[in-house]
Amino acid sequence: ETGVTQTPRHLVMGMTNKKSLKCEQHLGHNAMYWYKQSAKKPLELMFVYSLEERVENNSVPSRFSPECPNSSHLFLHLHTLQPEDSALYLCASSQDLNRGSSYNEQFFGPGTRLTVL
Amino acid sequence: AQSVTQLDSQVPVFEEAPVELRCNYSSSVSVYLFWYVQYPNQGLQLLLKYLSGSTLVKGINGFEAEFNKSQTSFHLRKPSVHISDTAEYFCAVTASGSRLTFGEGTQLTVNP
């Protein structure tokens, strides 16, 4: 596998379910990101991890819980979601600022299309 | 902090016509600029980037963009589009020490 991979590609869940999204990067990067992309809305940055430490959490509801066990893997744990959480969830990675890169070029995975019923 | 404005949310064109997707940015420091493309139900793919040097940047699939510092613009162009170029295009800006900031996207639709 190369680049950034995400599984599953599609997920349908009920509001009472618990599920997890997985992201893996094979680029040797040290920063990872979760974005939410809803129809007709701009990309929303949800979380940023740098060297497995969460460095940014942009007012995301607690029903979304990220986990970064190492610099290659990132998870997004989901529980008691709402229908308005249906969206494309994108993972990205980069070399983080001041740790090997002066600019923040991000590489994206294909996304997980989430539908909450 | 930086900001990006994509001036057109939708751009419909006919096949083989030229196209320009407009992007303006705001920053008080030197910037690095990117264009990403997103095909339906896929993630974002880097189309091209401006880091330094020549202001005309060539990317994949025949696209190019020109960095204009005086007008704070980074417009994307292609001389002749194909049906397969139908996608959403995102302009993004970053500066040294800052995270990537995306524009709201421009939907390019190429009609036969």
Side-chain angles (χ1 to χ4, degrees), chain B residues 20-67:
Chain B
E20 178 180 82
L21 306 184
R22 297 180 295 167
C23 172
N24 285 98
Y25 69 91
S26 173
S27 176
S28 58
V29 297
S30 296
V31 295
Y32 307 102
L33 294 152
F34 303 81
W35 275 100
Y36 285 85
V37 60
Q38 185 180 31
Y39 298 105
N41 296 311
Q42 293 188 29
L44 275 67
Q45 178 185 355
L46 184 67
L47 205 52
L48 49 79
K49 61 188 176 188
Y50 170 78
L51 304 179
S52 65
S54 172
T55 56
L56 184 63
V57 180
K58 293 191 183 297
I60 61 172
N61 301 339
F63 283 92
E64 62 181 32
E66 185 152 22
F67 171 58

Side-chain angles (χ1 to χ4, degrees), chain A residues 35-63:
Chain A
Y35 287 88
K36 177 183 179 183
Q37 188 179 33
S38 304
K40 310 294 184 189
K41 286 186 171 181
L43 276 170
E44 299 174 47
L45 179 62
M46 300 174 74
F47 301 104
V48 181
Y49 276 82
S50 176
L51 293 174
E52 300 108 61
E53 179 186 340
R54 192 188 312 178
V55 296
E56 215 163 306
N57 176 352
N58 289 331
S59 304
V60 179
S62 59
R63 57 186 184 269

Side-chain angles (χ1 to χ4, degrees), chain A residues 25-36:
Chain A
Q25 60 94 3
H26 310 267
L27 300 167
H29 289 157
N30 51 28
M32 296 187 79
Y33 310 77
W34 279 118
Y35 287 88
K36 177 183 179 183

